[in-house]
Amino acid sequence: MGFLKAVYELGKVELGSKNKSAEPYFSDIDSFLQLPMPIIEDDQRQGREIRIWLNVRDRDAKCLEVTGIAKIDLKDYLNSNDADKINETKQKMLYREPPGSSTQWRYSPVYKLRKATANPHSALLGKRGTWRDDNDSRYYKLYKTVLKPLEDIGVFSSGSADLIMSELEEKADRIAELWKDKKRSYILIFGINDNGNFLYPGELGIFRNHFKSRLEPNIGGKMSATCSLCHAKAESGANLDKIFKFSTFDKESFLPGIKDGHGVREKVFPLCDDCISVMSMGREVLDGRFFDRQTIPNMNIYVVPELIFGNAELDDVAVNVENFIKSGLKKAERLFSYLAKQDEILVYHFVFWEENQAQEQLHVMVEDVPPSRLKCLERLW
């Protein structure tokens, strides 16, 4: 519980700072917004946005009628850990990872191109140039998981998805030209051309409403159980696997009683809607500030601080932990220097995990490590 409690407190602190200036229409979804790409401060490796400017008849319509693509341009992605800039980017992108790798829809019109390939034109259109017949082509995946679902649900008018793809085919050379630096990751993001201004998805009510409509059935739900964190009686909520996919709850060896299909929610780790919101924000803080993926190949590491008495100084502690992740983990002689200098009013939680398709395989979790233990380890090291 130490690790989960720490994540919960990080979420509370972050939500407290957000709510002071949050726009009303983001107040109920802010906790669930994510960044589509990691923040890389190195100018040579910083991510890029390829922006698709859509022309529509009426940007305020309940169903957007797309008339074509005005232009395609390139913009630098976020490269700062400034909290306000991160929050602004999340709200503009309106992004969240889909519930599973096989999900055939997305929360917003953002598509991950990822790193450039040796032949970007072929990667977009398929090896034979007919993307509709090539399930591995980027255009096929873009159409099937982003554009067509938006049309099917009524965000785009009938025929809009095919119109967009037709023009993207014609402009494949333009996208290939922009998607060429193999050191960088890229995203395609669709926005609205508003008299020469690019409106991001989060700046339009129709996309915010779509995000909410997708979120509700995939995060919460009817549930009669006691919340595992706040211990309140919950009539709606979800299990912890909506935040951390460290376990596969559909295996009989893991979940007792699954054969009869009864009581599944109550036998795992149920959370009420409020705690799901706080934990979701806490997970975002982890991934943005306390996450190392470079020190050990294919291994992700969380270093999570927890103050034993209150959380008023949590932001100050967080800065030292971030320095530790950026510098300490990469240099053996300074491995515990930053953390060991802290006072004894806090402990740390270390989590080592690996991405395994749609699951997150937990290898080691070490909870409640005080600075004195780190000082001892540093001396022995």
Side-chain angles (χ1 to χ4, degrees):
M1 282 295 290
F3 167 69
L4 295 181
K5 180 183 176 184
V7 175
Y8 183 85
E9 294 302 332
L10 288 172
K12 280 180 61 178
V13 170
E14 187 71 7
L15 281 174
S17 63
K18 281 177 175 289
N19 289 338
K20 295 175 183 177
S21 57
E23 297 288 349
Y25 42 78
F26 283 114
S27 59
D28 54 347
I29 62 174
D30 239 352
S31 301
F32 303 101
L33 297 175
Q34 300 173 337
L35 291 174
M37 292 192 292
I39 299 170
I40 298 178
E41 298 182 46
D42 182 355
D43 291 340
Q44 302 301 314
R45 298 172 52 246
Q46 178 185 357
R48 293 277 171 83
E49 305 170 19
I50 297 178
R51 304 190 303 182
I52 313 296
W53 296 54
L54 298 178
N55 285 327
V56 299
R57 293 197 185 280
D58 181 4
R59 50 163 281 191
D60 297 317
K62 294 183 178 179
C63 178
L64 297 175
E65 183 180 351
V66 180
T67 60
I69 295 176
K71 67 176 180 177
I72 300 174
D73 67 359
L74 188 69
K75 183 179 180 296
D76 288 336
Y77 179 70
L78 177 70
N79 71 337
S80 169
N81 281 295
D82 179 80
D84 290 336
K85 290 182 179 180
I86 292 174
N87 189 46
E88 179 186 355
T89 300
K90 287 181 182 179
Q91 291 181 347
K92 287 197 307 183
M93 297 288 182
L94 208 66
Y95 183 82
R96 182 176 177 81
E97 287 287 335
S101 58
S102 61
T103 303
Q104 294 298 301
W105 53 264
R106 296 296 182 266
Y107 284 100
S108 69
V110 175
Y111 176 75
K112 291 185 177 183
L113 279 175
R114 304 187 188 277
K115 294 282 181 70
T117 65
N119 190 339
H121 196 276
S122 176
L124 292 170
L125 291 170
K127 295 179 181 179
R128 299 179 181 178
T130 54
W131 61 268
R132 291 182 185 274
D133 300 322
D134 189 342
N135 295 4
D136 293 326
S137 70
R138 298 297 203 281
Y139 273 8
Y140 178 88
K141 295 175 181 178
L142 170 64
Y143 179 78
K144 293 290 289 185
T145 64
V146 179
L147 297 178
K148 194 61 169 70
L150 285 172
E151 180 182 305
D152 292 341
I153 205 169
V155 173
F156 290 147
S157 64
S158 178
S160 291
D162 285 312
L163 173 62
I164 294 171
M165 291 306 304
S166 176
E167 296 206 15
L168 286 179
E169 283 186 63
E170 297 175 3
K171 302 178 188 298
D173 289 340
R174 171 61 174 162
I175 295 179
E177 174 191 348
L178 301 176
W179 182 41
K180 61 184 180 181
D181 192 337
K182 296 180 182 179
K183 294 180 181 179
R184 305 178 189 273
S185 287
Y186 293 78
I187 56 173
L188 274 179
I189 180 162
F190 293 82
I192 303 302
N193 176 26
D194 182 36
N195 296 319
N197 294 315
F198 184 82
L199 296 182
Y200 282 85
E203 297 178 284
L204 292 162
I206 191 168
F207 287 117
R208 294 194 298 267
N209 291 336
H210 171 259
F211 185 96
K212 293 178 184 179
S213 70
R214 293 292 195 187
L215 186 68
E216 291 172 0
N218 287 283
I219 291 297
K222 293 183 178 179
M223 176 180 66
S224 179
T226 300
C227 178
S228 300
L229 287 180
C230 70
H231 308 299
K233 186 68 175 178
E235 297 301 329
S236 64
N239 282 312
L240 183 63
D241 66 323
K242 296 295 185 181
I243 309 299
F244 295 103
K245 299 179 181 179
F246 288 153
S247 299
T248 304
F249 294 154
D250 57 357
K251 294 191 185 320
E252 295 178 14
S253 60
F254 179 85
L255 185 62
I258 197 170
K259 285 184 179 180
D260 59 15
H262 298 297
V264 171
R265 287 179 181 270
E266 291 79 359
K267 292 181 179 180
V268 188
F269 201 96
L271 299 173
C272 66
D273 285 339
D274 289 341
C275 287
I276 280 283
S277 176
V278 176
M279 288 294 289
S280 181
M281 178 57 72
R283 173 71 192 257
E284 272 302 286
V285 175
L286 281 190
D287 290 340
R289 300 173 65 182
F290 308 118
F291 182 34
D292 171 80
R293 56 158 56 94
Q294 299 178 6
T295 301
I296 303 176
N298 301 319
M299 185 67 64
N300 302 310
I301 306 173
Y302 285 142
V303 182
V304 193
E306 180 184 2
L307 287 175
I308 298 174
F309 302 109
N311 288 287
E313 301 176 3
L314 189 55
D315 282 338
D316 294 334
V317 171
V319 171
N320 288 324
V321 177
E322 288 180 78
N323 289 337
F324 170 74
I325 292 174
K326 291 178 180 178
S327 302
L329 282 174
K330 298 174 184 176
K331 299 180 181 179
E333 68 273 15
R334 301 170 63 189
L335 190 59
F336 297 111
S337 296
Y338 285 106
L339 300 189
K341 291 178 182 178
Q342 300 300 306
D343 296 327
E344 296 297 325
I345 61 171
L346 61 93
V347 294
Y348 299 99
H349 311 291
F350 296 83
V351 181
F352 297 78
W353 60 280
E354 184 179 0
E355 294 180 16
N356 181 17
Q357 296 181 350
Q359 296 299 315
E360 296 167 342
Q361 184 176 356
L362 181 62
H363 288 282
V364 178
M365 179 185 291
V366 185
E367 296 185 307
D368 302 324
V369 180
S372 58
R373 181 62 56 87
L374 296 176
K375 292 175 185 176
C376 177
L377 288 173
E378 183 181 27
R379 187 182 72 251
L380 294 174
W381 192 282

